[in-house]
Amino acid sequence: MSAEAALPLTNDYDVDALRADFPILSETVRGKPLCFLDNGASAQKPQAVIDAVRYSYEHCYANVHRGAYDFSERTTAAYEAAREKTRAFLNASSEREIIFTGNATGAINLVAYSFGRGLMKAGDEVIISDMEHHSNIVPWQILRDELGIVLTIAPISDDGAFLIDEFEKLLSPKTKLVAITHVSNVLGTVTPAKRIVDAAHAVGAKVMFDGSQAVMHMAVDVQALDCDFYVFTGHKLYGPSGIGVLYGKEAVLDMMPPFMGGGDMIAQVTYAKTTWAELPAKFEAGTPPMVQAIGLGAAIDYVSSIGLDRIAAHERDLLSYAMQRLSAVKGLNFIGTAPDKTAVVSFTMDGAHPHDVATIIDQEGVAIRAGHHCAEPLMVRMGVGGTARASMGLYNTRAEIDTLGNALEKVNAIFG
Ligand SMILES: *Cc1c(COP(=O)(O)O)cnc(C)c1O
């Protein structure tokens, strides 16, 4: 290792220069600088993403794959280049394994409808965890009620850690799919993904990770994980809304029937019989989110040019600073303190409802989310009606954590 590579990663992390890449960060709210700490709900977009979307509409726009004319080839090439960028980003082995959807919810539903209805039967079991987003609960509930599958919930500890030993006890030959979040959107908990895969594969189950809160915080390698499916959503990775990704192992996707029928997903159609297109087109019925995919490709280029390891180091610093600063706020209780977690801080405050907390600090220009965060069963598990959540991204600063801390002290001045 060179002396340079041994330096702490945050040394040359120029957060001010990165902030300048995001035009929206110079907005003001109620006369105060925007302090945006709701990245877990959706992240802001760098100029490179905005430019890629704009360039596409101005210079490179027609429907993909269908053009008899040369100009439509430009859009097709840009769309397929975005698929290759996504493949490289996840280190998938083939572009056939990358399916574009509308969002993470669309990707999870694709798995539930196609893998679930196509390859599962009554009595088969799906295991999720006690800290899933509603979009990784409800599709399996619908499947349970329609098909008679068994839905089992893997427990978590009081501090929000995934209990791998308890999970392993739930596995049996009836387990067909394990569908678990890679990072909790509420607690920031990182689940032990590789151990989950190894244990599930030992009983013959497939594994899907919901990586919606993971891919912006850490490098993900689906081949190293050996998972069967990996899902994420573009808008939380600094990309546009309207684009999601389903990675699936080619052999597994090949076994699965189509989810939606329509244009682009067919080889040949007659009234008697239709044959399916090859992967990935088999799962991309209809005009795909072309420009959104191109924007996602630009977002992937952007985070890759910074380096996810450097982003992770910066966010680790923000997290430890936030835990320290917010510990000093009277009556603040952290919800979710697992040892392995990303820069997401959920909390409650004595005597103040989370919505009141968010509303009061909004007066100071601070944007956080309050409520159940699309994870109502997790609220029940943690014994709270809701939480306030500050979720950090690559452009947040220690100064913004101070702004949050000071604003929360004003909450205490009102309620305390
Ligand atoms: C945001 C989120 C989703 C859903 O993403 P959409 O873009 O709304 O489909 C799913 N899972 C987790 C963990 C999330 O944070």
Side-chain angles (χ1 to χ4, degrees):
M1 210 197 315
S2 71
E4 205 181 329
L7 287 172
L9 291 164
T10 44
N11 261 2
D12 62 342
Y13 193 89
D14 188 347
V15 69
D16 292 329
L18 294 174
R19 288 180 70 80
D21 293 336
F22 291 78
I24 210 165
L25 295 180
S26 43
E27 291 292 307
T28 55
V29 178
R30 302 176 196 285
K32 309 258 169 55
L34 170 65
C35 176
F36 189 76
L37 294 169
D38 193 20
N39 298 284
S42 202
Q44 302 300 342
K45 318 306 169 198
Q47 190 66 50
V49 168
I50 299 166
D51 287 348
V53 169
R54 179 174 177 150
Y55 182 89
S56 184
Y57 283 127
E58 286 182 348
H59 300 288
C60 171
Y61 184 83
N63 210 330
V64 293
H65 301 307
R66 301 176 175 144
Y69 48 96
D70 184 60
F71 184 64
S72 92
E73 280 308 308
R74 285 191 203 176
T75 315
T76 305
Y79 180 64
E80 292 305 327
R83 195 188 310 278
E84 163 54 24
K85 287 173 189 183
T86 308
R87 182 207 65 72
F89 182 65
L90 294 177
N91 192 34
S93 55
S94 159
E95 288 163 40
R96 289 187 295 278
E97 300 181 318
I98 303 297
I99 317 284
F100 285 127
T101 62
N103 47 32
T105 306
I108 295 169
N109 275 273
L110 194 164
V111 176
Y113 276 79
S114 171
F115 183 87
R117 283 164 186 70
L119 302 175
M120 293 180 71
K121 56 180 190 315
D124 287 348
E125 184 182 34
V126 173
I127 301 180
I128 62 174
S129 84
D130 214 0
M131 54 180 161
E132 300 305 322
H133 188 283
H134 291 162
S135 63
N136 194 34
I137 300 173
V138 182
W140 308 114
Q141 260 178 340
I142 294 175
L143 198 64
R144 177 192 66 193
D145 297 346
E146 261 182 46
L147 204 65
I149 64 152
V150 177
L151 183 58
T152 301
I153 315 299
I156 61 173
S157 66
D158 291 345
D159 64 355
F162 184 80
L163 295 171
I164 184 78
D165 294 338
E166 298 304 311
F167 165 74
E168 286 177 355
K169 288 180 205 156
L170 298 174
L171 291 165
S172 80
K174 283 168 62 182
T175 314
K176 287 294 173 308
L177 182 71
V178 172
I180 286 188
T181 197
H182 194 185
V183 172
S184 160
N185 64 316
V186 179
L187 311 173
T189 306
V190 181
T191 55
K194 183 63 182 144
R195 286 189 64 186
I196 292 171
V197 172
D198 290 345
H201 282 177
V203 299
K206 304 284 187 243
V207 179
M208 185 201 88
F209 288 116
D210 176 357
S212 302
Q213 297 287 344
V215 290
M216 64 293 234
H217 299 303
M218 64 182 78
V220 170
D221 180 334
V222 292
Q223 291 189 76
L225 283 177
D226 195 30
C227 55
D228 302 280
F229 302 104
Y230 196 95
V231 164
F232 73 90
T233 198
H235 65 99
K236 295 176 184 173
L237 181 63
Y238 311 99
S241 58
I243 182 77
V245 171
L246 170 65
Y247 157 81
K249 275 186 186 163
E250 187 168 351
V252 181
L253 292 175
D254 268 336
M255 290 188 306
M256 290 160 50
F259 168 30
M260 290 194 281
D264 282 343
M265 53 73 72
I266 53 87
Q268 197 185 22
V269 179
T270 65
Y271 287 123
K273 182 177 165 57
T274 290
T275 52
W276 315 134
E278 296 292 315
L279 292 172
K282 179 170 98 175
F283 291 110
E284 292 186 356
T287 300
M290 307 175 285
V291 176
Q292 293 88 336
I294 291 165
L296 174 64
I300 286 173
D301 284 344
Y302 181 78
V303 295
S304 303
S305 74
I306 302 167
L308 274 157
D309 291 345
R310 295 173 68 234
I311 292 170
H314 173 68
E315 292 178 350
R316 261 196 305 281
D317 173 70
L318 286 178
L319 176 64
S320 61
Y321 188 75
M323 298 302 278
Q324 185 194 322
R325 174 66 187 86
L326 300 188
S327 296
V329 176
K330 193 164 55 66
L332 185 146
N333 318 295
F334 292 112
I335 308 294
T337 50
D340 195 3
K341 65 175 269 168
T342 58
V344 176
V345 180
S346 262
F347 57 93
T348 59
M349 290 184 73
D350 293 345
H353 191 279
H355 283 122
D356 294 331
V357 173
T359 305
I360 292 166
I361 70 174
D362 176 52
Q363 302 296 320
E364 307 300 316
V366 183
I368 63 165
R369 183 150 175 212
H372 57 59
H373 314 288
C374 301
E376 288 192 51
L378 176 59
M379 298 297 113
V380 173
R381 170 60 183 89
M382 301 311 276
V384 293
T387 73
R389 180 190 70 181
S391 50
M392 290 150 249
L394 67 89
Y395 39 63
N396 289 120
T397 64
R398 284 185 171 211
E400 288 179 307
I401 305 298
D402 287 333
T403 303
L404 170 66
N406 297 341
L408 292 174
E409 267 142 16
K410 296 200 174 165
V411 175
N412 270 340
I414 295 168
F415 284 91

